[in-house]
Amino acid sequence: MNVERELDALRAMTTDQLRQRYAEVWDDQPRTRHKQYLIRKIIWKMQADAEGGLAERAKRLRARAAELADVAHVRATPPKDDHRPARKAAPATRQHGGTLAATTDPRLPAVGTVLTRKYKGRLIQVTVLADGFEFDGDRYRSLSAVAKAITGSHCNGFRFFNLGSQA
């Protein structure tokens, strides 16, 4: 077998011709149209056949790997959970980011406090609620969510509102 001559012939083929040659050499249809991949697989198989093929142990391992890789019986998507709780009706104002955790952060001021900050010439006012924060009629789970709504990019809400640890 002259590898260089075979490679030149394969490189001159179209993708459809390579797919046909692959099917002849491998006795299987290729699942790709990637030309370089097809050329590599064809030339590898031709060299293996010319050199006597794979050792018996390698053939057994390959067969076992193919058996394990047969995923026809494996689900492609997880099962739907029929035991999940029903969704609650949406509140009058929109809620962003779920619900606030039961434990409160010691850096947060008391419920009812209005946090104010000037940002890009605009006065920002956020009310601290028992279960989150309110800004412009919308409810948010965290100060970071509020800061993101204001700035358009993620930033630390405590830093944005200057609420660091006051220890």
Side-chain angles (χ1 to χ4, degrees), residues 96-157:
H96 297 277
T99 59
L100 189 64
T103 58
T104 58
D105 194 306
R107 296 174 290 179
L108 286 176
V111 173
T113 304
V114 177
L115 304 173
T116 57
R117 181 204 163 147
K118 205 165 197 171
Y119 180 74
K120 291 189 176 180
R122 179 176 160 204
L123 184 64
I124 306 297
Q125 293 185 323
V126 176
T127 306
V128 178
L129 304 173
D131 61 345
F133 305 90
E134 185 177 339
F135 168 68
D136 276 353
D138 292 338
R139 298 185 109 185
Y140 296 85
R141 177 185 176 270
S142 68
L143 279 174
S144 293
V146 175
K148 184 174 184 174
I150 295 167
T151 65
S153 62
H154 176 76
C155 60
N156 184 307

Side-chain angles (χ1 to χ4, degrees), residues 12-123:
M13 292 182 178
T14 66
T15 304
D16 288 331
Q17 292 170 328
L18 284 170
R19 287 174 55 86
Q20 185 177 10
R21 183 72 176 129
Y22 180 99
E24 293 168 4
V25 172
W26 284 93
D27 294 327
D28 192 16
Q29 289 298 318
R31 290 186 256 160
T32 183
R33 296 188 59 81
H34 191 274
K35 192 170 182 174
Q36 277 300 318
Y37 175 81
L38 293 169
I39 290 171
R40 287 182 189 137
K41 292 294 281 189
I42 292 168
I43 204 72
W44 180 89
K45 179 70 167 149
M46 292 171 77
Q47 284 178 314
D49 291 346
E51 297 293 324
L54 294 172
E56 279 305 311
R57 181 172 184 270
K59 286 180 185 177
R60 283 193 313 272
L61 289 173
R62 184 172 164 207
R64 178 68 177 139
E67 180 183 314
L68 292 172
D70 180 22
V71 294
H73 63 280
V74 178
R75 291 184 68 118
T77 58
K80 296 204 187 261
D81 184 8
D82 293 333
H83 303 292
R84 60 186 163 201
R87 299 193 95 180
K88 296 178 183 176
T93 59
R94 290 178 295 181
Q95 177 81 22
H96 297 277
T99 59
L100 189 64
T103 58
T104 58
D105 194 306
R107 296 174 290 179
L108 286 176
V111 173
T113 304
V114 177
L115 304 173
T116 57
R117 181 204 163 147
K118 205 165 197 171
Y119 180 74
K120 291 189 176 180
R122 179 176 160 204
L123 184 64

